[in-house]
Amino acid sequence: MKLRAVEARVLSVAPWLFALSVLGHLFMVAFQTKMTMIDLLVYRNGSPHLFSGDLYEWRLDQYADVFPLPFTYPPFAAAIFTPMSWVPWEASRWIWQLICLGCLYYIVHVTLKLLKLQDPRRVMLWTALTLWIEPVRTTLNYGQINLVLVAILIGTLASARNWVGGAGVGFAAGIKLTPAISGLYFLIQRRWMAAVWSFVAFAVVYGIGWAISPSQSDKFWFQLLGDASRVGPVGSAINQSLRGALSRTVGYDVKTGPIYIVAVLVAAALTWFAVSKTKDVLALIVSVQMLGLLVSPISWSHHWVWMVPALLWLVYEGGHLLCKITAGLWVLLTGGYLISFLLLAQPNIWDFPRPWIFVVLGWGYPVAGVLTLVAIGLAARRQRDELLSGEQEAADGEPSRVVG
């Protein structure tokens, strides 16, 4: 039975699946089942230290006996999260979880809109399903910000208004630097004014952070930026960037050495292969985000929530066989909670040596990310060839004109 036929049957019960899925998640929030929301604690408890001048010296000791967690985002992010410290922790937990649920629904909605599949039942179906895959699940369990950032970016990048797209990228980059890669999307599309707006928006949020605390701003941007070891263990299985996978393979942190540079160049070349022959907005957005996740020094498994739009594109838009294979791989990796298994199998978060099978499995997300880029590129070329073939057949079929 074809996918669309199966989907047609499932769509009839999509509202029920959506309701059960959301209720199941809220049950977990209520009873704290595997939901420490430790990163939300960092955001909430660390942010007020921006105003006392010791934001980047502060550490969260709770739930962190091996690695007391620091605040790793720019000062502007701390300013945004400070109001969360004004309300009780229990209220903060529920507010954040509801915001993240709304963001997941919005991400699926915008993605399907770009695919021209605007059926509310389909949005509910995919929200219900993706709520339980590993990157989304761990984002919610940790109380992470990933769903919020993806919602901001995909919503603004999809806008035809340059100032909206640029402002979204600049604002998101001011909260967490990695969204800055999204500016590449504007350069690919030659939307120069959108790129200018993103720079302006970033300058504004940087200025806000500097105005609040010049010393903390200087420390973050000119001392701490680029220190991946401060963020966490590069070689842990939870780091699914190319640098993380390469470091686990060779047994030490490759840093920005030759091995890493070659990997970055390969990822950049594959991204160009993906974007150079398509004008598909969603494909372009997904390609740029895959590049960012691959080349970033740290890409925790929960950062890979961008695989939700990627998966939907592969399922609905990608006509190439590799698209189906890659979609299946994403489902296997994220539905099977591979990274969670690898984290349980490693002796601790700092030791790089691993049994070879764990080293191979530790390439899961980077391999799927690379295959996504290749699949997008192949599908774009196939669509172009089919279009050219159709135009040629139409031209060949036209009756000849006799001049007389």
Side-chain angles (χ1 to χ4, degrees):
M1 187 179 295
K2 292 184 178 181
L3 175 63
R4 291 300 180 94
V6 174
E7 185 193 48
R9 293 188 176 186
V10 178
L11 284 178
S12 63
V13 296
W16 291 102
L17 290 175
F18 176 75
L20 288 173
S21 186
V22 171
L23 287 174
H25 171 70
L26 296 179
F27 178 87
M28 294 183 69
V29 176
F31 293 96
Q32 297 187 352
T33 307
K34 296 182 179 180
M35 297 195 72
T36 60
M37 301 188 203
I38 188 170
D39 288 324
L40 181 60
L41 271 174
V42 173
Y43 305 153
R44 176 184 180 274
N45 295 359
S47 292
H49 288 263
L50 172 67
F51 301 92
S52 58
D54 61 340
L55 177 63
Y56 298 111
E57 288 75 31
W58 174 86
R59 295 291 186 278
L60 178 75
D61 295 326
Q62 190 175 358
Y63 304 121
D65 52 338
V66 178
F67 180 51
L69 298 176
F71 192 94
T72 60
Y73 295 166
F76 180 71
I80 289 178
F81 274 105
T82 296
M84 193 74 78
S85 67
W86 301 342
V87 297
W89 168 240
E90 280 301 315
S92 298
R93 294 174 69 252
W94 281 99
I95 291 170
W96 191 243
Q97 289 295 314
L98 292 174
I99 289 173
C100 289
L101 282 177
C103 286
L104 177 61
Y105 185 92
Y106 179 73
I107 291 165
V108 174
H109 165 74
V110 174
T111 301
L112 291 173
K113 182 179 179 181
L114 290 172
L115 290 168
K116 298 179 174 60
L117 296 167
Q118 297 168 268
D119 184 340
R121 295 176 304 167
R122 189 174 283 112
V123 178
M124 287 188 283
L125 172 63
W126 281 104
T127 303
L129 295 176
T130 55
L131 181 56
W132 300 98
I133 61 174
E134 187 171 44
V136 173
R137 194 74 249 146
T138 49
T139 288
L140 294 169
N141 291 347
Y142 293 143
Q144 257 285 342
I145 196 173
N146 306 303
L147 288 168
V148 175
L149 293 177
V150 172
I152 293 171
L153 289 170
I154 199 169
T156 54
L157 288 172
S159 174
R161 295 182 177 90
N162 288 328
W163 74 269
V164 173
V169 171
F171 178 76
I175 297 175
K176 185 176 181 179
L177 192 59
T178 49
I181 190 71
S182 304
L184 183 59
Y185 168 77
F186 299 134
L187 301 182
I188 292 170
Q189 288 201 318
R190 298 184 179 182
R191 293 174 58 182
W192 313 123
M193 283 307 302
V196 170
W197 273 109
S198 65
F199 178 80
V200 170
F202 179 77
V204 169
V205 298
Y206 167 80
I208 293 172
W210 190 88
I212 294 173
S213 179
S215 63
Q216 297 297 286
S217 293
D218 289 344
K219 184 165 189 175
F220 177 84
W221 294 108
F222 299 109
Q223 297 179 38
L224 302 178
L225 187 63
D227 183 4
S229 62
R230 184 178 182 274
V231 178
V234 173
S236 175
I238 196 173
N239 181 19
Q240 287 292 294
S241 68
L242 287 173
R243 177 171 164 181
L246 288 168
S247 298
R248 289 188 293 274
T249 301
V250 301
Y252 60 87
D253 184 2
V254 298
K255 298 184 178 179
T256 55
I259 299 176
Y260 173 73
I261 296 299
V262 170
V264 169
L265 291 175
V266 171
L270 292 175
T271 303
W272 177 248
F273 175 74
V275 305
S276 60
K277 299 298 181 182
T278 183
K279 294 183 179 179
D280 184 324
V281 170
L282 182 59
L284 292 173
I285 292 173
V286 166
S287 297
V288 169
Q289 301 304 329
M290 288 294 116
L291 174 64
L293 289 163
L294 288 168
V295 304
S296 175
I298 298 288
S299 291
W300 304 134
S301 60
H302 49 78
H303 292 172
W304 286 81
V305 288
W306 275 107
M307 59 77 49
V308 173
L311 177 63
L312 292 176
W313 187 92
L314 292 165
V315 168
Y316 289 111
E317 195 68 20
H320 197 279
L321 175 61
L322 185 59
C323 295
K324 297 179 177 62
I325 294 173
T326 306
L329 179 61
W330 274 123
V331 171
L332 181 64
L333 292 173
T334 59
Y337 286 73
L338 172 66
I339 310 307
S340 298
F341 164 75
L342 292 176
L343 285 174
L344 291 174
Q346 67 185 26
N348 61 66
I349 63 176
W350 296 104
D351 287 342
F352 280 60
R354 308 278 190 270
W356 70 268
I357 186 62
F358 293 148
V359 170
V360 172
L361 292 174
W363 277 88
Y365 286 16
V367 167
V370 166
L371 288 177
T372 300
L373 293 173
V374 176
I376 290 173
L378 291 175
R381 282 155 180 79
R382 177 176 178 175
Q383 291 170 0
R384 182 197 59 177
D385 292 344
E386 289 176 350
L387 178 62
L388 292 175
S389 177
E391 291 176 350
Q392 185 62 46
E393 289 176 2
D396 293 342
E398 289 182 358
S400 60
R401 297 180 180 179
V402 179
V403 180

